[in-house]
Amino acid sequence: MQISIPFIFLACLFAYRAPALSGSGITDPDYYWHLGYGEWILNNNRLPTEDFWSWTFQGHSYRLTQWLGEVSMGLAHQLGNETGTAVLAALLVSLTMAASYRAARCFLPNRLAALAIAVGCNAILVSLACRPHQFTHLGLAALSWIIASFQSGNRRALLWIPPLFAVWVNLHGGYAFGLTYLGMVASLTAIEAYMRHEPTAMRQGALPLFAFTGVALFATLLNPYGWGAWQYAIEIANMKASAGIVDEWAATNIKTDVGINFFIVTSAMVAALAMTRSRPKLSQILAALALTALGWSAVRLSLMVTVLMVPIVAAAVRDTPFYDLVFNGPKSRHYDREVGIGKAAAVVALTLCLSIGLSKIDKTTERYMAANLPVAEASFLQQHNIEGKILNTPEAGGYLIRRLGAKVSIDTRYDLYGDHALFELLFAMRGDSGWEDYLARLNPDIVLLNNPSALRHALASSGTYRPVFEGRAYTVLIRHDQRPDLPTIELSQPNKAVLNQLKS
């Protein structure tokens, strides 16, 4: 039995990522409440209808539109704890690469060329941790494969669109982006057919795409909330917190790893379109421009659009001198071959052993958690049996819920708390006027704030709260008249706290 090199590569990718603790998601603040909801649904056999993890918004209605993605995480964790979610993340990124590879193969006869483009465009996805948005990357890769197959002459490929969106809508809210992209491809195909006066292209290309866009829209109604899922997606898109506070929705910066990756992928796409001997289609050029603009507008979008750039790059690069030189010669055809199953299994096994060995000695994940999540602070609260209403930062909320089993004031479910609650906290943490009224209204028993926060010094100076523990990331303060057995500690200055964090 012979195995193709792309299949071996994808198997090695899975083997390399599966044992990695960083892929489990434990460094991501969102991971904990995603996982918690998944396990809650599995244990209760129903969807939650209101919030029960915060004391500030307890009882407020809440829609969990990505419930199936969270159930998948919960099931993976029940089967293998953090290793289970790491395996799930590795599986999703491997399947995303595989679907992108198949999309590129619709235009490229050389398998190594298709693999190179799929991996090159999606390289940044390899480092992502387990979260429901990985299902959107897989959905976009599958959608690009379906559209590429249709454009290559497979008329029946569009039949996969309705089941894709029916499942996708329950996995993650990125289905809305996928449906928008499908409508964009249909519109661009129609525009090109109209400008070239090609009624056949309109009838056989644009109209089927429009028809299945409509079918896909109705397929997204197959979720527990019906049209409410779309209402939820619109509400999320209009939130100022997502646009201006959450790093994932900030504009893509070329100084970051994600920005550099996006710059390289867009540059490769532009080069392929410029070097191709066949004149690029108008729809290809407009799609490339639209995807590039979307990618630079937000980090999260840049991860999505690089998946969709795979077929554009593949279709253009086939007729370039670069492809002829690298992938169309006799040597390249020799390398694009199949390998015996014994050698393939040995390579995958070696990769797995290497990854397991590295994961045992690599302490990067533990160090990151200690520096960014309230690991030591939660241990202090547990050790001294300190309980009560906690005022905390959003990034600490999910971890505290999971670790302490306690209700928090806020976490990263910004769709629940809204802009007002988030910005109130942020202004109070800066020590802006009105922080006294904010604290008096909430009246927490415990305050857990970032070390650089000005509010922790203001609280200590006011005498209403006193610091009892300062970790690498956060400071714990309690009411001045509580727990006299715990000594008051001296706080480091904010600039010193920032310097210590940079050193760590």
Side-chain angles (χ1 to χ4, degrees), residues 136-371:
T136 278
H137 301 143
L138 176 56
L140 291 172
L143 180 61
S144 67
W145 180 13
I146 291 170
I147 295 175
S149 298
F150 171 74
Q151 293 173 338
S152 300
N154 184 0
R155 313 295 298 175
R156 299 174 63 87
L158 296 183
L159 295 175
W160 288 100
I161 286 180
L164 171 65
F165 279 93
V167 176
W168 193 354
V169 68
N170 295 289
L171 288 168
H172 186 254
Y175 72 91
F177 183 80
L179 187 60
T180 302
Y181 173 74
L182 179 59
M184 183 188 78
V185 172
S187 300
L188 294 179
T189 303
I191 291 172
E192 184 170 41
Y194 175 79
M195 294 184 65
R196 293 190 174 185
H197 304 286
E198 297 178 347
T200 302
M202 179 71 76
R203 184 175 60 257
Q204 298 183 357
L207 292 182
L209 288 170
F210 276 123
F212 275 91
T213 300
V215 174
L217 175 61
F218 282 100
T220 60
L221 299 181
L222 299 177
N223 70 88
Y225 306 99
W227 284 109
W230 277 99
Q231 181 183 357
Y232 172 82
I234 295 171
E235 290 172 356
I236 291 292
N238 290 330
M239 285 187 63
K240 294 181 175 64
S242 296
I245 302 299
V246 182
D247 291 340
E248 292 178 342
W249 292 107
T252 305
N253 190 335
I254 197 172
K255 296 181 180 180
T256 64
D257 292 341
V258 175
I260 293 174
N261 175 79
F262 187 68
F263 174 77
I264 293 173
V265 174
T266 52
S267 298
M269 181 179 63
V270 171
L273 290 171
M275 293 172 61
T276 184
R277 289 185 291 266
S278 59
R279 183 178 179 181
K281 294 181 179 180
L282 176 63
S283 57
Q284 284 181 305
I285 297 174
L286 294 178
L289 290 174
L291 292 176
T292 301
L294 286 170
W296 285 117
S297 67
V299 172
R300 175 76 72 84
L301 292 179
S302 72
L303 300 177
M304 297 182 188
V305 301
T306 51
V307 179
L308 300 174
M309 288 177 176
V310 169
I312 298 177
V313 176
V317 80
R318 179 176 178 176
D319 292 325
T320 62
F322 173 81
Y323 181 84
D324 293 338
L325 177 66
V326 178
F327 297 109
N328 209 21
K331 290 186 178 180
S332 63
R333 286 196 293 270
H334 171 71
Y335 294 137
D336 183 15
R337 58 191 176 90
E338 297 182 342
V339 179
I341 189 171
K343 292 182 179 179
V347 172
V348 175
L350 180 62
T351 303
L352 179 61
C353 293
L354 178 63
S355 180
I356 292 174
L358 290 175
S359 65
K360 290 184 179 299
I361 63 176
D362 184 16
K363 302 299 180 183
T364 305
T365 300
E366 290 85 343
R367 289 196 296 267
Y368 181 89
M369 291 184 64

